Amino acid sequence: MTDKKYVGSIEAGGTKFIVAVQDVESGKIIAQDRISTQDPKKTLEQSAAFFKENPVNALGIGTFGPIDINENSRTFGYILDTPKPGWSGTNFKGYFEKELDIPVVMTTDVNASCYGE
């Protein structure tokens, strides 16, 4: 990794994930991609591969849900009982922490857009 500070983001939707890397100093988006939402294994692997090719210092995720955002819960960072086939019980946050070995912040897509405002 360079001396530059980069942050990553994932807008995780039911049909697509938008993944991006931003240069913290300039605020410029330096890499971006669209990944079709498939089963968790394929979608998370493709998303992690993007960040392995475009390393970041930290990752923020806004995702479809419902998700567990209670930091004291044993399922913190998991997708809960969702109608999206195959996604219930997915350890979303933990997957990226393990694969990328960086801090990961995750919240609902609604919360993420409010933070953006």
Side-chain angles (χ1 to χ4, degrees):
M1 179 152 322
T2 69
D3 291 336
K4 287 196 170 273
K5 300 292 183 204
Y6 297 127
V7 291
S9 67
I10 300 176
E11 187 279 309
T15 59
K16 68 183 179 314
F17 278 34
I18 302 298
V19 293
V21 175
Q22 180 183 36
D23 180 314
V24 173
E25 187 175 314
S26 71
K28 291 179 126 181
I29 301 295
I30 60 168
Q32 182 175 316
D33 202 1
R34 180 188 190 281
I35 296 167
S36 294
T37 306
Q38 304 166 60
D39 63 75
K41 183 178 185 320
K42 288 179 188 170
T43 308
L44 298 181
E45 284 177 353
Q46 289 176 2
S47 299
F50 171 83
F51 291 111
K52 288 176 182 177
E53 292 173 13
N54 302 281
V56 295
N57 301 94
L59 178 63
I61 302 169
T63 184
F64 66 88
I67 64 170
D68 187 348
I69 57 173
N70 178 351
E71 293 182 19
N72 298 315
S73 172
R74 67 175 182 76
T75 57
F76 174 54
Y78 281 64
I79 302 285
L80 299 174
D81 189 19
T82 182
K84 186 75 178 154
W87 284 85
S88 294
T90 298
N91 184 358
F92 204 136
K93 182 179 186 300
Y95 177 85
F96 286 102
E97 288 173 335
K98 181 180 174 194
E99 286 296 310
L100 303 176
D101 193 30
I102 57 172
V104 175
V105 176
M106 182 173 144
T107 193
T108 66
D109 49 5
V110 174
N111 284 348
S113 62
C114 289
Y115 295 146
E117 284 297 315

